[in-house]
Amino acid sequence: ILELIFFFCCFLRFDEIKEGDVVRHDGKRSDGYLEHIFKHAAKELFGVDVKEITYKALKNKDFQEVTLEKDGETVLRFAAAYGFRNIQNMVLKLKKGKFLYHFVEVLACPGGCLNGKGQAQTEDGKPDKALLNQMEEVYAAIPVRLPETNMHVQKMYQDWLEGMDSKKVQETLHTKYSSVNQTASNLDIKW
């Protein structure tokens, strides 16, 4: 679905969008799609319909986890890592083989995208908390619509991707990952 959003944005003609067409993904903030992906995975993989997600802050408020338990066992473990300090810690744990997450949403700005340096700040260069709250309220007022029910996405699947289960969908929107052999180099980043 994330790949689909990228292609959707590339092919969408903004002059065709009306005010009622503006929608947002599931979640309380404008950050990534962790909540949508978590709910979708819970339903598709384990038959669990998750209505509300509870984030558990770990070492700090910008590294949180979401888990799904079934029959007393944790079957899904997602994390949201905001800010370079948390990203660095995540990479270190990955290298040590001590990273237990199935999915991680990574955002460079502490507090998420709305708190980023590209946003409005006070004269002393600090985040404008009143404006940040106002932006979050405006975002929360936009209706939620699942990407798979969006008529523009459906049209793209039909017209450009030749249907939902086509070979073109598999080639364009799906990938496989394999391990990469490490090579020693002075240019390697040591986190």
Side-chain angles (χ1 to χ4, degrees), residues 15-31:
D15 60 343
E16 295 175 358
I17 293 181
K18 298 171 189 67
E19 185 175 331
D21 291 339
V22 177
V23 295
R24 67 179 175 95
H25 58 76
D26 205 6
K28 293 175 180 53
R29 298 172 51 176
S30 67
D31 299 331

Side-chain angles (χ1 to χ4, degrees), residues 60-149:
N60 60 63
K61 67 179 177 69
D62 283 335
F63 193 92
Q64 301 179 358
E65 83 173 2
V66 177
T67 59
L68 175 68
E69 291 190 16
K70 188 171 182 180
D71 301 325
E73 179 186 350
T74 300
V75 293
L76 278 182
R77 187 180 307 267
F78 282 27
Y82 300 163
F84 284 111
R85 177 182 52 157
N86 289 313
I87 296 168
Q88 183 179 24
N89 289 336
M90 182 186 69
V91 170
L92 288 171
K93 287 181 181 180
L94 275 167
K95 285 184 173 186
K96 293 177 182 179
K98 297 181 179 183
F99 202 71
L100 309 172
Y101 296 99
H102 299 105
F103 175 89
V104 179
E105 178 175 275
V106 177
L107 297 163
C109 298
C113 296
L114 288 180
N115 197 40
K117 288 295 184 185
Q119 302 298 338
Q121 300 176 356
T122 60
E123 288 183 24
D124 60 358
K126 298 197 186 239
D128 185 336
K129 291 188 190 278
L131 181 58
L132 180 60
N133 288 335
Q134 185 180 7
M135 288 188 301
E136 287 177 350
E137 287 174 14
V138 167
Y139 181 77
I142 298 171
V144 173
R145 185 184 310 151
L146 297 175
E148 56 268 25
T149 64

